[in-house]
Amino acid sequence: MPHELDDLQKRRRFEICSGLLLRHQNDPFIERIVTCDETWILYDNRRRSAQWLDKDEAPKQFAKPKWTQRQTMVTVWGSTAGIIHYNFLKSGETINADKYCLELTEMQGKLTRKCPALVHRRGPLLLHDNARPHVSQTTVRKIHDSASSPLLPRLVAHR
């Protein structure tokens, strides 16, 4: 994405935003959007113990754990209604298509309980980026199967 937009890019963005706002007035869709993102979070749960020191004594140093031992990935699913589902993966574990599909299934169940009106009327719109797990054949099949299943909320993927 360029840092500075030229006049044509600015005009195009304005037209797209105006079109989306007009569409929303005629057929409200923003409340139907469900989105997901994954991110690494760092944490440090080391217990810092107090040390009794003499006046001229230097404090004892303790080695810090490696960064990889202190990070975990979290997936968060949300909509305009708030957070629908989140999950902390095991330390050092990353998301792949199979895990993403499991997360998708869990989110669908929670969405059915938390927002039944959204699920049973026109269905949620899934908005996610082009990350590999999001666009894999496994994920595409999962979304397609959920759209044709009467037991699961219909998901329509948008990027």
Side-chain angles (χ1 to χ4, degrees), residues 127-140:
L127 178 68
H128 57 200
D129 56 19
N130 286 328
R132 283 189 181 172
H134 302 174
V135 296
S136 73
Q137 290 299 319
T138 306
T139 303
V140 171

Side-chain angles (χ1 to χ4, degrees), residues 2 10 49 61 72 78 85-86 88 120 127 139 142 144 147:
K10 289 178 187 176
S49 58
Q61 299 295 323
T72 190
H85 170 69
Y86 65 91
F88 293 95
H120 297 298
L127 178 68
T139 303
K142 169 73 175 161
H144 178 60

Side-chain angles (χ1 to χ4, degrees), residues 36-39 73-77 83 85-89 95 99-100 103 134:
C36 173
D37 201 11
E38 305 89 15
T39 190
M73 183 171 275
V74 62
T75 59
V76 180
W77 297 79
I83 293 177
H85 170 69
Y86 65 91
N87 185 30
F88 293 95
L89 278 61
I95 196 84
K99 288 183 184 124
Y100 188 74
E103 291 288 314
H134 302 174

Side-chain angles (χ1 to χ4, degrees), residues 3-138:
H3 291 284
E4 294 183 25
L5 302 175
D6 61 27
D7 289 337
L8 179 64
Q9 292 168 326
K10 289 178 187 176
R11 193 172 334 111
R12 181 72 182 134
R13 287 184 183 205
F14 176 78
E15 290 169 0
I16 290 170
C17 291
S18 297
L20 287 172
L21 287 173
L22 286 173
R23 177 182 170 192
H24 183 67
Q25 288 175 351
N26 296 331
D27 177 27
F29 68 94
I30 293 177
E31 292 83 17
R32 293 175 53 204
I33 295 174
V34 173
T35 188
C36 173
D37 201 11
E38 305 89 15
T39 190
W40 287 103
I41 57 172
L42 299 173
Y43 60 92
D44 184 3
N45 290 338
R46 288 181 294 154
R47 176 175 284 177
R48 290 173 171 72
S49 58
Q51 299 177 24
W52 288 100
L53 303 171
D54 289 334
K55 188 174 184 178
D56 296 329
E57 186 180 1
K60 296 176 185 168
Q61 299 295 323
F62 298 98
K64 291 183 180 180
K66 295 179 183 178
W67 279 99
T68 55
Q69 295 173 342
R70 298 187 297 153
Q71 66 182 3
T72 190
M73 183 171 275
V74 62
T75 59
V76 180
W77 297 79
S79 70
T80 58
I83 293 177
I84 298 166
H85 170 69
Y86 65 91
N87 185 30
F88 293 95
L89 278 61
K90 294 177 184 171
S91 183
E93 186 178 34
T94 61
I95 196 84
N96 60 27
D98 293 330
K99 288 183 184 124
Y100 188 74
C101 287
L102 288 174
E103 291 288 314
L104 190 59
T105 302
E106 286 187 43
M107 182 279 302
Q108 286 176 301
K110 289 184 180 180
L111 186 64
T112 302
R113 288 189 302 275
K114 290 182 179 182
C115 303
L118 170 65
V119 172
H120 297 298
R121 285 189 191 152
R122 299 191 62 200
L125 300 172
L126 177 60
L127 178 68
H128 57 200
D129 56 19
N130 286 328
R132 283 189 181 172
H134 302 174
V135 296
S136 73
Q137 290 299 319
T138 306

